[in-house]
Amino acid sequence: MKLVKPYTGERLPLWREILYGGGNFTASLFGTIIGTWLSFFYIDTLGFNAKAIGIAMIIYSIWNAINDPLMGFISDRTHTKLGRRLPYVLFGAIPFGLCFIFVFSPPTASLTTPTAQILYYTLSLCVYDFFFTTVLLNWEAVVPDMYEKEKDRGRIIGIAQVADVLGGVIASVAVEPVFTKYGWSAMATIFGCIGAIVMLLTVFGIRENPKHAAQPSLPLLQSIRQTFRSRSFLICVCCVFFVETARLLLMAAVPYYAKYIFPDVDMAAMVITSVVFVSALLFTPLVIFVSNRIGTKKTYILSLLLFALVACGFFFSNSFILSVVLSVLLGLGVTGGLLMPKLLYTEIIDEDQSVTGLRREGAFYGIQAFIIRFASGLQAVILSLIMGIFGYVEGAQTQVASAATGFKVAMSFLPAGLVLIGCLIITRYPLYGERLAQVKQKIAAGESAEQ
């Protein structure tokens, strides 16, 4: 079976689209495990210093200031027989899985000081993130190149969204039982191998337009300047930054919330997170339907408003059943919050092509990845501050009552506030309606002239 077939512009077979979508399975599987359990593993289980972990996340965010835009630039300038993006996915998938394993396999006997803890945590996370960016940036950057029609893009992004949710469900349901029985390193080995294999299979669904690959590329600084000139991009990525910070904060707070609010409920964290993902899976077709009817921007705004409203409910919930109901509703908001930006980015890249005449997917996905990575650092800092303010003690078997209140705040008002900020920002997004139609017409006219 050939990895690369001649580009025709026609729709790929469904099985290839499904294989392509599997990239989101790996991204969600790894991302959910790290976002939900990494802080809990290092701080609550191993007893690492919370402030040290917060400092490590800041260093990690600075690393991303170099890693993400540089990889996007390199990707746009890559020319091989396999294409611009595919080689990075093909040869990076296995190291990606291995680095995930190393993050959860620290040599704890040697990490007895905050300095040693910061060094290992930072180094392992930065190496993991290098391959995360290398593989997933190139995987995601293929979509605007694969299809030109919004309906086709929406379909394959929808398939990838389903894979995203499935990865999250498996991470939510299976991780806690596995590490409880076999340990954290064994858990990481099992899921690291699964994720790497699925990521390798995505190469059979990747298709690139050789016409775009043959185009000249802008120099690095000029490419960065041109990317930041896009008002549509800046508004979208700023909104996504606040929403992603909220989502990561809520995810990281779930294990603490479950443990200290519902101590008598077995695997409460697993139930809450899995319900969110199952709900998101079931609501994905509805969100796509609504988006096709009222537009991407309006659907995004409605999703964020629901996200914020439901998140506030977790503060007032002392009932596990009520928290599960809230998780169902949260899944609907999360689905729109994750799906809509992916559609917006494809439109933004089209708009840039109408201005520059070039396809610069790597530049845009690299810059957006750089900005969004700061969300990881910010949520870690916020959570560590909440722990300090409300009296949480790392590794202690019992906590003061105020610690539980702090985790309620981290699950509710803080993420809700961040989402509302993002919602206000996205109301200024200009690329919709007549303006978007003009961009499409300009691209079509330019490509007709080339032929």
Side-chain angles (χ1 to χ4, degrees):
M1 184 186 300
K2 291 184 179 180
L3 288 181
V4 181
K5 289 191 174 183
Y7 181 87
T8 63
E10 299 297 323
R11 176 181 172 178
L12 290 172
L14 179 60
W15 68 270
R16 280 185 176 265
E17 292 186 336
I18 292 173
L19 286 180
Y20 172 80
N24 243 14
F25 174 88
T26 298
S28 180
L29 181 70
F30 288 1
T32 301
I33 294 173
I34 284 183
T36 303
W37 293 108
L38 190 64
S39 170
F40 185 84
F41 169 58
Y42 275 91
I43 296 174
D44 199 88
T45 303
L46 298 182
F48 280 25
N49 184 276
K51 292 181 180 178
I53 297 300
I55 293 171
M57 290 302 294
I58 293 173
I59 298 171
Y60 158 74
S61 297
I62 295 172
W63 154 249
N64 278 290
I66 303 171
N67 180 38
D68 295 322
L70 184 60
M71 178 49 62
F73 174 76
I74 293 171
S75 174
D76 281 341
R77 299 177 70 88
T78 297
H79 302 283
T80 74
K81 292 182 179 179
L82 293 177
R84 291 191 293 177
R85 322 292 183 190
L86 189 147
Y88 294 104
V89 180
L90 178 62
F91 298 112
I94 298 300
F96 185 25
L98 290 174
C99 290
F100 173 80
I101 296 170
F102 294 147
V103 170
F104 283 97
S105 306
T108 52
S110 304
L111 306 177
T112 57
T113 66
T115 300
Q117 294 169 6
I118 291 174
L119 287 175
Y120 183 86
Y121 186 89
T122 305
L123 182 60
S124 64
L125 199 56
C126 285
V127 174
Y128 161 80
D129 187 74
F130 170 78
F131 285 101
F132 183 98
T133 298
T134 299
V135 174
L136 290 173
L137 182 149
N138 285 282
W139 170 83
E140 191 172 20
V142 170
V143 171
D145 202 26
M146 288 175 67
Y147 293 126
E148 297 177 357
K149 296 179 180 179
E150 294 300 313
K151 183 178 180 180
D152 290 331
R153 290 175 176 177
R155 182 184 62 255
I156 199 166
I157 288 175
I159 291 171
Q161 180 70 6
V162 171
D164 181 294
V165 174
L166 288 175
V169 169
I170 291 175
S172 302
V173 172
V175 169
E176 190 171 3
V178 171
F179 74 64
T180 299
K181 186 172 183 179
Y182 300 107
W184 290 91
S185 183
M187 177 276 296
T189 301
I190 292 169
F191 292 111
C193 291
I194 292 172
I197 292 170
V198 173
M199 199 73 231
L200 270 177
L201 292 175
T202 66
V203 300
F204 293 105
I206 291 176
R207 181 183 65 176
E208 300 182 60
N209 190 334
K211 178 180 65 177
H212 296 154
Q215 292 175 340
S217 303
L218 297 176
L220 176 59
L221 294 180
Q222 185 179 347
S223 178
I224 293 174
R225 285 197 299 267
Q226 183 62 40
T227 303
F228 278 104
R229 286 195 183 108
S230 172
R231 181 168 176 263
S232 302
F233 173 71
L234 292 178
I235 289 173
C236 183
V237 79
C238 286
C239 169
V240 174
F241 169 77
F242 284 101
V243 175
E244 183 67 4
T245 303
R247 188 183 70 85
L248 292 174
L249 177 61
L250 195 149
M251 284 177 58
V254 166
Y256 301 97
Y257 178 84
K259 179 177 180 178
Y260 296 109
I261 305 301
F262 307 114
D264 298 326
V265 180
D266 291 337
M267 297 188 178
M270 179 198 75
V271 174
I272 290 173
T273 52
S274 61
V275 166
V276 172
F277 281 109
V278 170
S279 172
L281 174 63
L282 297 176
F283 281 126
T284 296
L286 175 62
V287 172
I288 294 175
F289 174 79
V290 172
S291 175
N292 290 334
R293 287 300 183 93
I294 69 173
T296 306
K297 177 181 176 179
K298 289 182 180 179
T299 305
Y300 195 19
I301 291 172
L302 290 175
S303 299
L304 296 184
L305 290 174
L306 178 63
F307 189 136
L309 178 63
V310 173
C312 289
F314 285 106
F315 183 85
F316 302 99
S317 174
N318 291 309
S319 163
F320 181 68
I321 299 300
L322 177 57
S323 291
V324 170
V325 173
L326 290 171
S327 299
V328 173
L329 297 174
L330 185 65
L332 177 56
V334 167
T335 298
L338 291 176
L339 188 58
M340 293 303 103
K342 295 177 181 179
L343 290 171
L344 294 180
Y345 284 135
T346 65
E347 298 169 355
I348 291 166
I349 290 166
D350 288 341
E351 182 186 40
D352 179 72
Q353 183 186 1
S354 72
V355 174
T356 65
L358 304 175
R359 297 293 297 184
R360 300 189 308 114
E361 292 93 342
F364 279 97
Y365 284 110
I367 295 294
Q368 74 90 21
F370 151 61
I371 294 174
I372 300 308
R373 290 296 185 275
F374 282 99
S376 300
L378 180 57
Q379 73 83 15
V381 170
I382 292 173
L383 188 59
S384 65
L385 288 174
I386 289 294
M387 289 175 173
I389 291 171
F390 287 88
Y392 173 83
V393 179
E394 301 93 333
Q397 294 300 312
T398 58
Q399 302 287 343
V400 295
S402 60
T405 303
F407 295 127
K408 278 191 169 187
V409 172
M411 277 282 292
S412 57
F413 296 135
L414 285 176
L418 291 166
V419 166
L420 288 176
I421 293 172
C423 192
L424 287 173
I425 292 172
I426 204 62
T427 60
R428 309 301 298 172
Y429 181 75
L431 189 57
Y432 65 97
E434 183 178 348
R435 178 168 173 177
L436 180 59
Q438 291 174 350
V439 167
K440 298 293 185 183
Q441 292 172 2
K442 187 173 180 180
I443 292 175
E447 292 185 346
S448 297
E450 289 178 5
Q451 295 174 355

